Amino acid sequence: MNLFRGIDVVTASSASALSFLVWESCTTLDDEVEYIWSKSYTSPIKWLYLFTRYIGLGDLVATPYFGYRSALSCRGWIVLQMGGLQAMVTLVEMILMLRVHALYNRDPRMRAFLILLILVATVIPATGMGLSASKTMFSPSCAVMHIDNPLTFISYIYSITESILLILTVVKCVHTSRTTLRHAPVIVLMLRDGMLAFFALVGRSLV
Protein backbone atom coordinates (compact mmCIF):
# COMPACT_ATOMS: atom_id res chain seq x y z
CA MET A 1 0.00 0.00 0.00
CA ASN A 2 2.84 2.43 0.87
CA LEU A 3 4.40 1.76 -2.53
CA PHE A 4 1.25 2.77 -4.41
CA ARG A 5 0.62 5.72 -2.10
CA GLY A 6 4.14 7.01 -2.78
CA ILE A 7 3.69 6.59 -6.52
CA ASP A 8 0.34 8.39 -6.40
CA VAL A 9 1.83 11.36 -4.53
CA VAL A 10 4.74 11.72 -6.97
CA THR A 11 2.48 11.30 -10.00
CA ALA A 12 -0.11 13.78 -8.73
CA SER A 13 2.55 16.38 -7.92
CA SER A 14 4.17 16.02 -11.34
CA ALA A 15 0.80 16.18 -13.10
CA SER A 16 -0.20 19.33 -11.21
CA ALA A 17 3.08 21.08 -12.00
CA LEU A 18 2.89 19.97 -15.64
CA SER A 19 -0.68 21.26 -15.97
CA PHE A 20 0.29 24.64 -14.58
CA LEU A 21 3.31 24.96 -16.88
CA VAL A 22 1.28 24.01 -19.95
CA TRP A 23 -1.45 26.50 -19.02
CA GLU A 24 1.07 29.29 -18.37
CA SER A 25 2.90 28.56 -21.62
CA CYS A 26 -0.33 28.69 -23.64
CA THR A 27 -1.55 31.94 -22.08
CA THR A 28 1.74 33.76 -22.67
CA LEU A 29 2.66 32.21 -26.02
CA ASP A 30 1.75 35.35 -27.98
CA ASP A 31 4.14 37.49 -25.92
CA GLU A 32 6.83 34.83 -26.23
CA VAL A 33 6.52 34.77 -30.01
CA GLU A 34 6.60 38.57 -30.23
CA TYR A 35 9.46 39.29 -27.84
CA ILE A 36 11.57 36.12 -27.79
CA TRP A 37 11.14 34.12 -30.97
CA SER A 38 11.61 37.25 -33.08
CA LYS A 39 15.09 37.84 -31.65
CA SER A 40 18.19 36.95 -33.64
CA TYR A 41 19.47 33.38 -33.46
CA THR A 42 22.72 34.79 -32.09
CA SER A 43 20.96 36.36 -29.10
CA PRO A 44 22.01 34.60 -25.86
CA ILE A 45 18.91 35.87 -24.08
CA LYS A 46 16.67 34.10 -26.60
CA TRP A 47 18.22 30.67 -26.05
CA LEU A 48 18.60 31.09 -22.30
CA TYR A 49 14.93 31.98 -22.02
CA LEU A 50 13.75 29.10 -24.20
CA PHE A 51 15.91 26.52 -22.41
CA THR A 52 14.82 27.84 -19.01
CA ARG A 53 11.17 27.80 -20.00
CA TYR A 54 11.05 24.33 -21.53
CA ILE A 55 13.64 22.31 -19.61
CA GLY A 56 11.26 22.09 -16.65
CA LEU A 57 8.46 21.04 -18.96
CA GLY A 58 10.62 18.30 -20.46
CA ASP A 59 11.68 17.17 -17.00
CA LEU A 60 8.08 16.77 -15.88
CA VAL A 61 7.12 14.92 -19.05
CA ALA A 62 10.06 12.50 -18.77
CA THR A 63 9.74 11.76 -15.05
CA PRO A 64 6.88 9.16 -15.23
CA TYR A 65 8.82 7.02 -17.72
CA PHE A 66 11.50 6.16 -15.18
CA GLY A 67 9.12 3.94 -13.23
CA TYR A 68 9.52 2.81 -9.66
CA ARG A 69 10.61 -0.80 -9.92
CA SER A 70 14.18 -0.86 -8.60
CA ALA A 71 16.88 1.14 -6.87
CA LEU A 72 18.39 1.80 -10.30
CA SER A 73 15.21 3.38 -11.65
CA CYS A 74 14.85 5.38 -8.43
CA ARG A 75 18.41 6.62 -8.81
CA GLY A 76 17.73 7.57 -12.40
CA TRP A 77 14.64 9.45 -11.26
CA ILE A 78 16.49 11.41 -8.57
CA VAL A 79 19.35 12.19 -10.97
CA LEU A 80 16.79 13.54 -13.44
CA GLN A 81 15.27 15.74 -10.74
CA MET A 82 18.63 17.03 -9.52
CA GLY A 83 19.91 17.59 -13.04
CA GLY A 84 16.77 19.48 -14.04
CA LEU A 85 16.96 21.65 -10.93
CA GLN A 86 20.64 22.44 -11.45
CA ALA A 87 20.12 23.25 -15.12
CA MET A 88 17.22 25.60 -14.41
CA VAL A 89 19.03 27.40 -11.59
CA THR A 90 22.16 27.79 -13.73
CA LEU A 91 20.20 29.17 -16.68
CA VAL A 92 18.30 31.65 -14.50
CA GLU A 93 21.54 32.76 -12.89
CA MET A 94 23.09 33.28 -16.32
CA ILE A 95 20.17 35.53 -17.30
CA LEU A 96 20.57 37.53 -14.09
CA MET A 97 24.31 37.79 -14.68
CA LEU A 98 23.75 39.14 -18.19
CA ARG A 99 21.59 41.85 -16.62
CA VAL A 100 24.29 42.70 -14.10
CA HIS A 101 26.91 42.70 -16.86
CA ALA A 102 24.78 45.16 -18.84
CA LEU A 103 24.31 47.35 -15.76
CA TYR A 104 28.09 47.65 -15.43
CA ASN A 105 28.46 48.66 -19.09
CA ARG A 106 29.89 45.25 -20.04
CA ASP A 107 33.03 45.85 -17.99
CA PRO A 108 35.58 43.06 -18.81
CA ARG A 109 36.51 42.74 -15.14
CA MET A 110 32.88 42.28 -14.17
CA ARG A 111 32.47 39.72 -16.98
CA ALA A 112 35.45 37.72 -15.70
CA PHE A 113 34.08 37.82 -12.15
CA LEU A 114 30.63 36.66 -13.27
CA ILE A 115 32.10 33.80 -15.31
CA LEU A 116 34.03 32.64 -12.24
CA LEU A 117 30.90 32.98 -10.12
CA ILE A 118 28.75 30.88 -12.45
CA LEU A 119 31.43 28.18 -12.65
CA VAL A 120 31.63 27.93 -8.87
CA ALA A 121 27.84 28.00 -8.53
CA THR A 122 27.48 25.19 -11.08
CA VAL A 123 30.42 22.83 -10.58
CA ILE A 124 30.25 22.54 -6.78
CA PRO A 125 26.48 21.85 -6.53
CA ALA A 126 26.55 19.47 -9.52
CA THR A 127 29.44 17.51 -7.97
CA GLY A 128 27.68 17.37 -4.61
CA MET A 129 24.44 16.20 -6.18
CA GLY A 130 26.24 13.48 -8.14
CA LEU A 131 27.99 12.14 -5.04
CA SER A 132 24.78 12.24 -3.03
CA ALA A 133 22.72 10.48 -5.71
CA SER A 134 25.26 7.66 -5.96
CA LYS A 135 24.98 6.87 -2.23
CA THR A 136 21.29 7.52 -1.64
CA MET A 137 19.10 4.67 -0.38
CA PHE A 138 15.44 4.49 -1.45
CA SER A 139 12.22 2.90 -0.27
CA PRO A 140 10.13 0.84 -2.75
CA SER A 141 8.17 4.02 -3.58
CA CYS A 142 11.40 5.94 -4.33
CA ALA A 143 11.24 7.96 -1.13
CA VAL A 144 14.73 8.86 0.11
CA MET A 145 15.52 6.71 3.16
CA HIS A 146 19.14 7.65 3.75
CA ILE A 147 21.64 10.06 2.24
CA ASP A 148 25.31 10.16 3.22
CA ASN A 149 26.04 13.66 1.91
CA PRO A 150 23.36 16.16 2.96
CA LEU A 151 22.57 18.72 0.27
CA THR A 152 22.22 21.62 2.73
CA PHE A 153 25.48 23.19 1.60
CA ILE A 154 24.11 23.49 -1.94
CA SER A 155 21.33 25.80 -0.75
CA TYR A 156 24.02 27.92 0.92
CA ILE A 157 25.92 28.21 -2.37
CA TYR A 158 22.76 29.23 -4.21
CA SER A 159 21.97 31.79 -1.51
CA ILE A 160 25.47 33.27 -1.60
CA THR A 161 25.42 33.52 -5.39
CA GLU A 162 22.05 35.24 -5.46
CA SER A 163 23.10 37.55 -2.64
CA ILE A 164 26.16 38.66 -4.62
CA LEU A 165 24.05 39.33 -7.71
CA LEU A 166 21.48 41.27 -5.68
CA ILE A 167 24.16 43.38 -4.00
CA LEU A 168 25.79 44.19 -7.34
CA THR A 169 22.39 45.16 -8.77
CA VAL A 170 21.42 47.34 -5.80
CA VAL A 171 24.80 49.09 -5.66
CA LYS A 172 24.74 49.96 -9.36
CA CYS A 173 21.09 51.02 -9.36
CA VAL A 174 21.55 53.27 -6.33
CA HIS A 175 24.72 54.77 -7.79
CA THR A 176 23.01 55.43 -11.13
CA SER A 177 20.01 57.05 -9.44
CA ARG A 178 22.25 59.35 -7.40
CA THR A 179 24.46 60.40 -10.27
CA THR A 180 21.56 61.09 -12.65
CA LEU A 181 19.40 62.58 -9.86
CA ARG A 182 16.38 60.67 -11.09
CA HIS A 183 14.94 57.15 -10.99
CA ALA A 184 15.00 55.89 -14.57
CA PRO A 185 12.15 53.41 -15.21
CA VAL A 186 14.55 50.74 -16.52
CA ILE A 187 16.69 51.03 -13.37
CA VAL A 188 13.65 50.68 -11.13
CA LEU A 189 12.50 47.69 -13.19
CA MET A 190 15.88 45.94 -12.97
CA LEU A 191 16.07 46.56 -9.23
CA ARG A 192 12.56 45.20 -8.70
CA ASP A 193 13.16 42.12 -10.86
CA GLY A 194 16.52 41.50 -9.20
CA MET A 195 14.92 41.46 -5.76
CA LEU A 196 12.07 39.21 -6.91
CA ALA A 197 14.55 36.77 -8.47
CA PHE A 198 16.61 36.78 -5.29
CA PHE A 199 13.71 35.90 -3.01
CA ALA A 200 12.31 33.33 -5.45
CA LEU A 201 15.58 31.44 -5.97
CA VAL A 202 16.73 31.62 -2.35
CA GLY A 203 13.29 30.58 -1.12
CA ARG A 204 13.27 27.65 -3.58
CA SER A 205 16.74 26.47 -2.53
CA LEU A 206 15.88 26.56 1.18
CA VAL A 207 12.67 24.54 0.83
Side-chain angles (χ1 to χ4, degrees):
M1 180 65 69
N2 289 334
L3 169 61
F4 293 110
R5 185 179 295 113
I7 294 175
D8 288 341
V9 169
V10 173
T11 303
S13 299
S14 298
S16 299
L18 180 60
S19 299
F20 174 78
L21 280 179
V22 171
W23 171 83
E24 198 271 339
S25 297
C26 292
T27 56
T28 59
L29 183 60
D30 53 343
D31 290 333
E32 181 178 321
V33 172
E34 180 179 358
Y35 298 110
I36 301 298
W37 292 11
S38 60
K39 286 185 174 294
S40 169
Y41 286 104
T42 60
S43 171
I45 289 294
K46 175 177 182 174
W47 296 111
L48 285 174
Y49 175 88
L50 291 175
F51 280 125
T52 303
R53 188 171 182 83
Y54 293 107
I55 194 171
L57 187 62
D59 187 21
L60 289 172
V61 171
T63 294
Y65 293 97
F66 273 82
Y68 305 94
R69 293 180 296 274
S70 67
L72 181 59
S73 62
C74 290
R75 206 172 309 283
W77 176 77
I78 200 69
V79 167
L80 175 67
Q81 299 300 305
M82 289 181 174
L85 171 62
Q86 179 60 50
M88 292 188 67
V89 171
T90 299
L91 291 170
V92 171
E93 287 180 340
M94 290 176 69
I95 293 174
L96 296 176
M97 288 179 183
L98 285 174
R99 290 159 51 92
V100 172
H101 188 221
L103 271 177
Y104 283 81
N105 297 318
R106 295 180 172 81
D107 187 330
R109 293 172 298 179
M110 178 57 67
R111 179 168 60 249
F113 173 74
L114 293 175
I115 290 174
L116 177 62
L117 186 62
I118 193 65
L119 287 175
V120 171
T122 301
V123 173
I124 295 179
T127 303
M129 288 180 181
L131 293 175
S132 297
S134 66
K135 299 179 180 180
T136 300
M137 298 177 62
F138 302 93
S139 71
S141 61
C142 279
V144 175
M145 301 296 294
H146 176 72
I147 185 169
D148 288 337
N149 300 311
L151 300 176
T152 307
F153 77 96
I154 295 178
S155 65
Y156 295 152
I157 294 175
Y158 290 156
S159 299
I160 292 172
T161 302
E162 299 311 317
S163 298
I164 292 174
L165 294 177
L166 178 62
I167 291 171
L168 290 173
T169 301
V170 171
V171 168
K172 188 62 176 179
C173 289
V174 171
H175 175 73
T176 301
S177 297
R178 287 180 176 177
T179 54
T180 59
L181 300 180
R182 63 188 180 89
H183 298 286
V186 67
I187 297 298
V188 175
L189 181 63
M190 295 188 75
L191 181 59
R192 184 202 68 184
D193 290 351
M195 295 182 68
L196 289 174
F198 169 80
F199 288 114
L201 289 175
V202 171
R204 173 63 183 83
S205 66
L206 294 178
V207 172

